[in-house]
């Protein structure tokens, strides 16, 4: 069953929270998992963005042994999940204010710089992941909470996006009983989170993770995790000509 339901929008510390929850014994789905699993992406797109059935989307979480949710697109199902799993607690992650959230969102959930994009396209081709489809999926999720970062950015667009963030947070607090809900800023660290979940506080610093600020470090570290190992193989193949050239040049210089 789902034990913890994330009701916070993207760019509210959800990446850090996924790592923190791992330390607390939870396996949480996150938007990044929909890059690696096109079946999940398809079924959640049909449910969250096209009004399709919920059961197939929910089953993908069970198939992957997830017992917690964070980020898009699962955030669009927080109310349905709360009904289905009445014993689950609900976590609303927030930023200091809507402006900080918008600034963070505006710099993320977009296609990466061209150098990184080339590697990701090759990884997508190698794993049949549909590179273009993933970023279109992210853009459609953004538009569902009234944010649009294509084209000229106007004050009207910014206000529509920040208003939607504030309205979403108010709606979560209206729908979810206060005894089931924790409003949480990752700056608060372990104490309120662990108290809410009824678990001991780990003897380690609270994780800080954001692959859009440390893309090389975090992505390449994750490639040694079993579920990402094919990505590591793909990246190795992509760079192998340069590795080979480097080795040849090194051997020549040593002579």
């Amino acid at each position: 069953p789902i034990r913890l339901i994330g009701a916070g929008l993207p760019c509210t510390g959800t990446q850090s929270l996924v790592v923190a929850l791992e330390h607390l014994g939870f396996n949480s789905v996150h938007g990044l998992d929909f890059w690696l699993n096109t079946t999940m992406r398809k079924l959640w797109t049909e449910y969250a963005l096209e009004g399709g059935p919920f059961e197939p989307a929910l089953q993908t979480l069970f198939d992957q042994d997830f017992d917690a949710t964070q980020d898009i697109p699962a955030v669009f199902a927080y109310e349905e999940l709360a009904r289905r799993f009445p014993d689950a607690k609900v976590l609303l992650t927030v930023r200091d204010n809507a402006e900080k959230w918008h600034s963070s969102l505006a710099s993320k959930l977009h296609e990466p710089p061209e150098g990184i994009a080339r590697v990701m396209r090759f990884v997508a081709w190698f794993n049949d992941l549909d590179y273009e489809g993933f970023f279109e999926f992210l853009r459609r999720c953004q538009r569902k909470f009234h944010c649009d970062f294509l084209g000229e950015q106007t004050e009207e667009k910014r206000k529509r996006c920040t208003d939607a963030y504030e309205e979403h947070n108010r709606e979560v607090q209206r729908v979810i009983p206060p005894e089931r809900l924790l409003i949480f800023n990752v700056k608060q660290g372990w104490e309120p989170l662990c108290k809410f979940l009824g678990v001991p506080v780990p003897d380690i610093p609270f994780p800080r993770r954001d692959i859009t600020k440390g893309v090389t470090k975090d992505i390449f570290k994750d490639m040694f995790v079993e579920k990402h190992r094919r990505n590591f193989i793909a990246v190795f193949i992509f760079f192998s000509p340069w590795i080979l050239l480097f080795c040849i040049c090194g051997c020549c210089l040593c002579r």
Side-chain angles (χ1 to χ4, degrees), residues 32 35 112 116 119-120 123 209 211-212 214-225 228 231-232 235:
L32 293 171
W35 158 252
I116 295 171
V119 178
M120 290 186 68
V123 170
R209 188 174 193 269
I211 69 163
T212 57
V215 67
T216 303
K217 179 185 72 173
D218 283 325
I219 285 182
F220 280 84
K221 178 181 70 176
D222 281 355
M223 283 179 184
F224 291 97
V225 178
H228 297 167
N231 289 351
F232 174 77
V235 170

Side-chain angles (χ1 to χ4, degrees), residues 108-114 117 120-121 131-132 135-136 138-139:
K108 300 170 187 175
L109 299 185
H110 313 299
E111 293 190 50
E114 186 55 32
M120 290 186 68
R121 286 191 185 100
Y131 175 89
E132 299 295 341
F135 286 98
E136 176 58 22
L138 293 182
R139 287 189 289 269

Side-chain angles (χ1 to χ4, degrees), residues 29-63:
V29 70
H30 186 272
L32 293 171
D33 291 295
F34 294 84
W35 158 252
L36 297 170
N37 191 316
T38 53
T39 299
M40 286 180 65
R41 192 193 314 165
K42 175 180 180 294
L43 294 174
W44 276 89
T45 295
E46 291 174 356
Y47 162 69
L49 305 177
E50 298 171 358
F54 182 56
E55 292 298 338
L58 179 62
Q59 186 59 45
T60 65
L61 303 184
F62 299 149
D63 291 343

Side-chain angles (χ1 to χ4, degrees), residues 183-203:
I183 302 170
F184 181 68
N185 188 318
V186 292
K187 289 182 177 180
Q188 296 174 274
W190 288 116
E191 291 287 346
L193 179 63
C194 293
K195 181 179 179 181
F196 178 65
L197 297 176
V199 296
V201 175
D203 189 22

